[in-house]
Amino acid sequence: MKKMLFGSIILLCGTIGLIVILALSVNNPWDYNGITGIYGFLLGSQTLWAFVLFCLMFISGAFISFYEAYFSKDK
């Protein structure tokens, strides 16, 4: 149960981070050497690595929670 809570917290943090970065990209359009859109915003505001980190947090949290919910032997 503790591992599932840990996975859920990681999933929640990743989700919040992704939502914040996406909301910032919508509110602050960016043109980085002719590149526009979300990728242009990530490059121009130098938040590409944060976006990748939040994506990895989201995926790993979802994997940990899913694994603990359905495949864990400790019940």
Side-chain angles (χ1 to χ4, degrees), residues 33-59:
N33 293 334
I35 302 171
T36 59
I38 182 73
Y39 188 58
F41 172 78
L42 293 174
L43 289 175
S45 63
Q46 299 178 354
T47 55
L48 182 63
W49 288 111
F51 185 77
V52 170
L53 176 71
F54 286 131
C55 285
L56 290 175
M57 285 175 65
F58 179 83
I59 292 169

Side-chain angles (χ1 to χ4, degrees), residues 5-51:
L5 182 63
F6 175 69
S8 299
I9 290 170
I10 292 175
L11 178 71
L12 181 66
C13 290
T15 303
I16 290 171
L18 287 174
I19 289 172
V20 166
I21 289 178
L22 290 174
L24 284 173
S25 71
V26 169
N27 291 332
N28 302 315
W30 205 288
D31 185 8
Y32 183 78
N33 293 334
I35 302 171
T36 59
I38 182 73
Y39 188 58
F41 172 78
L42 293 174
L43 289 175
S45 63
Q46 299 178 354
T47 55
L48 182 63
W49 288 111
F51 185 77

